[in-house]
Amino acid sequence: MRRRRTRLLVALLALVSAAGCAAGPSVRPALVENDGKPSGTTPARTPGVPLPPLGEPQSPSLKWGDCDDDTRERIGTPGVPDSLHFTCTRVTTPLDAPGEPRRSVVRLLALKVGSGPVPLVVVNDVDGEPGSVYAARLAATLPPAFLEKFSLIGLDRRGTGLSGAVQCVPADIRHDLIDADPAEGGLGDVLDAARKAGQQCAIELDDSQTALDSWRGAGDLDELRKQLGMARLDALGHGDGSKVLAEYAVRFPGQVGRMVLDGVPDPGADTAAVLDAVAAGAQSTLDAFAADCAARHCAMGDPKAALPALTSQLRHTLLSTAEGVAFGPGVAMFAVYSGLAQRSRWPELADAITAARAGNIEPLAGFVSPVLHDSRAQPSRIDATIATRCNDSQARLSADQLDQVVAGMRAKYPQFGAVVAQQLAWCGPWPVRTEPLPAPGAPGAPPILVATTAADPVTPQLGSTRAADQMPSAVTLGWQGAGHGALGVSPCVTDAARAFLVDGKIPADGTVCPA
């Protein structure tokens, strides 16, 4: 219990500190460690499971081919350095649909970047960039020591990117799923859109509809491990990509190598409570964004004044994007929420909000474009997000319950309460998971490094700390900064992750990195 109290205290102190952070990550390399040594945890730390040594592939079966041009086209702007080169392959894995296990297969895209001899698998958020693109971008931010020791293997999770992307939600329905007004009304329109999305997805996905979840995603990683020729899986997860790795550690504890979970989601079964904490994290991130803007003397001014003014303006004068998509207050706030998660794009986000107030919504619409627009090379991210998150959860709320939740969250979090609460409506019509939820914990796994971020609008620090508390071998590393994820953004966290992955150096549990 002492370890739990220490973590929660660190989380709370970090949240307070981050609210006044002005200019993002510090360049200071030093770690700030807790006083004293960490004591027991609940559940108790598994004894006698050391961090495994790094291995190299033995008889790999994957055939890699050049995909440099295609990858750069998918990455778009901003690009990555010409010094990085990419190869790709396909990983065959069982679909494993409930009721028809191992009757069919899916083929997943994997990308390799870096010349290191040890494969380090990279798994991203289901609603973020596909794992292949995320790995390519991450490679451009990591110290050379990473790519000298490791080859990053970015995997497009099942149903995302070029791994049989889910494309079942009609285009106009995608818009309605993210259009909850931040200030008024219930979630009836969002729930109606979710019903239409669920009906269409049931028709188009058929047996695969309930085979898109994190548990089977963990199985995909073990197939990848085998085809890479590795005895253990060395991996890095970002956001709910960390959830897939956490479930891998539950399913295959003996095959866990060196793993870093950057912003693992709260594993709580009460989805409404989990999302309440997400909305709180978004409000804290907005505070950090405001401080950053003030430090740069940006033209937007205080976002807590600019955002209500913008939504009021759009409520009375509805605008449309160049593609003819209605851009009302709900979509605008979803775009802002998406931008807050991307720390490197905060200056761009501030300028986009300023432009939108002047009548030019195109820059702000760019932040929500990955959800609204759909193509073979860049499928909409919301389809796979709904499928995976709804299959990962057994929670379903009635319309009355949804309206009560959104009213409460609006009152507490005026900017982002409705933006986050509407996600509860997405799963209303989706088939309820009949399989038991995976047990938390991963007993028998070696030390796993869990990085948290004080003001994170997607995986708030308190939720990541709760997730770590359920993992007997978790070692937490907290960054007092803001944005979604710390690796590649905080030099302190990046260096600690490098030392853990490359050198096998385990930081003291509860270590804190300054903002």
Side-chain angles (χ1 to χ4, degrees):
M1 292 302 294
R2 178 183 169 190
R3 181 167 176 249
R4 181 187 296 272
R5 288 195 300 269
T6 300
R7 281 181 174 168
L8 292 175
L9 179 60
V10 168
L12 292 171
L13 289 174
L15 280 169
V16 172
S17 173
C21 175
S26 167
V27 297
R28 291 174 289 176
L31 299 180
V32 179
E33 299 184 354
N34 287 341
D35 292 334
K37 296 180 180 179
S39 61
T41 162
T42 304
R45 180 182 294 279
T46 302
V49 184
L51 192 67
L54 292 175
E56 295 188 14
Q58 302 295 321
S59 304
S61 59
L62 295 173
K63 305 297 182 184
W64 300 87
D66 178 80
C67 60
D68 213 80
D69 291 341
D70 289 344
T71 299
R72 292 183 185 280
E73 182 177 351
R74 293 177 69 210
I75 291 172
T77 304
V80 295
D82 292 341
S83 57
L84 295 177
H85 298 286
F86 310 107
T87 56
C88 293
T89 191
R90 289 283 178 177
V91 180
T92 301
T93 182
L95 177 66
D96 201 22
E100 292 193 355
R102 309 187 82 86
R103 286 280 298 274
S104 57
V105 298
V106 290
R107 299 181 72 237
L108 311 179
L109 178 80
L111 172 144
K112 179 164 64 174
V113 54
S115 57
V118 181
L120 180 69
V121 174
V122 176
V123 190
N124 195 24
D125 291 282
V126 71
D127 62 348
E129 290 185 313
S132 56
V133 175
Y134 175 72
R137 289 199 195 278
L138 185 63
T141 68
L142 295 177
F146 264 93
L147 302 186
E148 292 169 1
K149 189 66 175 181
F150 296 107
S151 293
L152 300 189
I153 309 294
L155 182 71
D156 286 5
R157 296 167 60 174
R158 57 170 59 198
T160 74
L162 299 184
S163 291
V166 178
Q167 294 175 289
C168 60
V169 180
D172 58 326
I173 300 302
R174 293 190 184 108
H175 168 275
D176 295 344
L177 288 168
I178 61 171
D179 197 31
D181 193 296
E184 56 192 36
L187 292 179
D189 290 344
V190 179
L191 187 57
D192 185 57
R195 290 192 187 100
K196 295 174 183 176
Q199 291 168 357
Q200 193 62 33
C201 289
I203 294 170
E204 296 198 17
L205 297 178
D206 197 21
D207 289 338
S208 67
Q209 182 181 12
T210 50
L212 298 158
D213 65 5
S214 297
W215 185 255
R216 289 170 179 79
D220 295 340
L221 294 183
D222 204 53
E223 291 292 335
L224 174 59
R225 176 192 64 80
K226 295 172 186 175
Q227 294 174 45
L228 286 169
M230 296 295 293
R232 294 177 178 270
L233 182 74
D234 302 306
L236 187 159
H238 178 240
D240 71 17
S242 296
K243 174 182 172 66
V244 181
L245 293 186
E247 295 194 8
Y248 182 93
V250 173
R251 288 189 68 175
F252 310 103
Q255 280 70 54
V256 174
R258 299 182 182 182
M259 287 188 174
V260 175
L261 313 185
D262 185 15
V264 62
D266 190 327
D270 186 344
T271 308
V274 169
L275 289 180
D276 188 278
V278 170
Q283 292 291 150
S284 295
T285 309
L286 181 65
D287 291 339
F289 173 62
D292 176 79
C293 189
R296 293 185 294 103
H297 305 289
C298 67
M300 176 188 61
D302 182 2
K304 290 187 177 181
L307 292 177
L310 173 61
T311 54
S312 177
Q313 180 180 326
L314 293 173
R315 199 172 288 117
H316 293 96
T317 306
L318 183 64
L319 301 177
S320 297
T321 68
E323 293 82 9
V325 178
F327 200 81
V331 175
M333 287 306 298
F334 192 94
V336 174
Y337 174 70
S338 300
L340 286 179
Q342 304 171 63
R343 178 65 182 82
S344 63
R345 297 183 68 186
W346 281 7
E348 180 187 348
L349 176 62
D351 290 344
I353 294 170
T354 302
R357 291 203 61 195
N360 178 12
I361 60 171
E362 293 303 320
L364 188 57
F367 284 90
V368 77
S369 178
V371 169
L372 295 177
H373 300 139
D374 190 59
S375 67
R376 189 201 70 83
Q378 294 182 321
S380 168
R381 298 174 187 174
I382 199 170
D383 302 45
T385 298
I386 291 174
T388 303
R389 291 186 179 170
C390 296
N391 287 336
D392 277 352
S393 169
Q394 293 174 322
R396 302 292 187 269
L397 300 183
S398 68
D400 288 344
Q401 290 172 320
L402 286 169
D403 286 344
Q404 290 175 6
V405 170
V406 72
M409 290 178 65
R410 274 197 183 109
K412 287 190 286 185
Y413 317 114
Q415 279 80 26
F416 300 110
V419 172
V420 175
Q422 69 188 340
Q423 298 177 36
L424 287 165
W426 296 350
C427 294
W430 201 265
V432 178
R433 181 188 182 103
T434 57
E435 302 162 292
L437 292 171
I448 296 173
L449 183 62
V450 177
T452 70
T453 299
D456 189 319
V458 181
T459 50
Q461 187 174 56
L462 199 58
S464 295
T465 301
R466 288 188 184 124
D469 280 338
Q470 295 188 14
M471 302 170 64
S473 62
V475 177
T476 57
L477 174 66
W479 176 44
Q480 294 179 304
H484 180 40
L487 190 70
V489 183
S490 162
C492 171
V493 171
T494 303
D495 187 62
R498 180 207 58 77
F500 178 83
L501 292 168
V502 176
D503 304 324
K505 182 180 178 182
I506 304 172
D509 183 43
T511 294
V512 177
C513 282

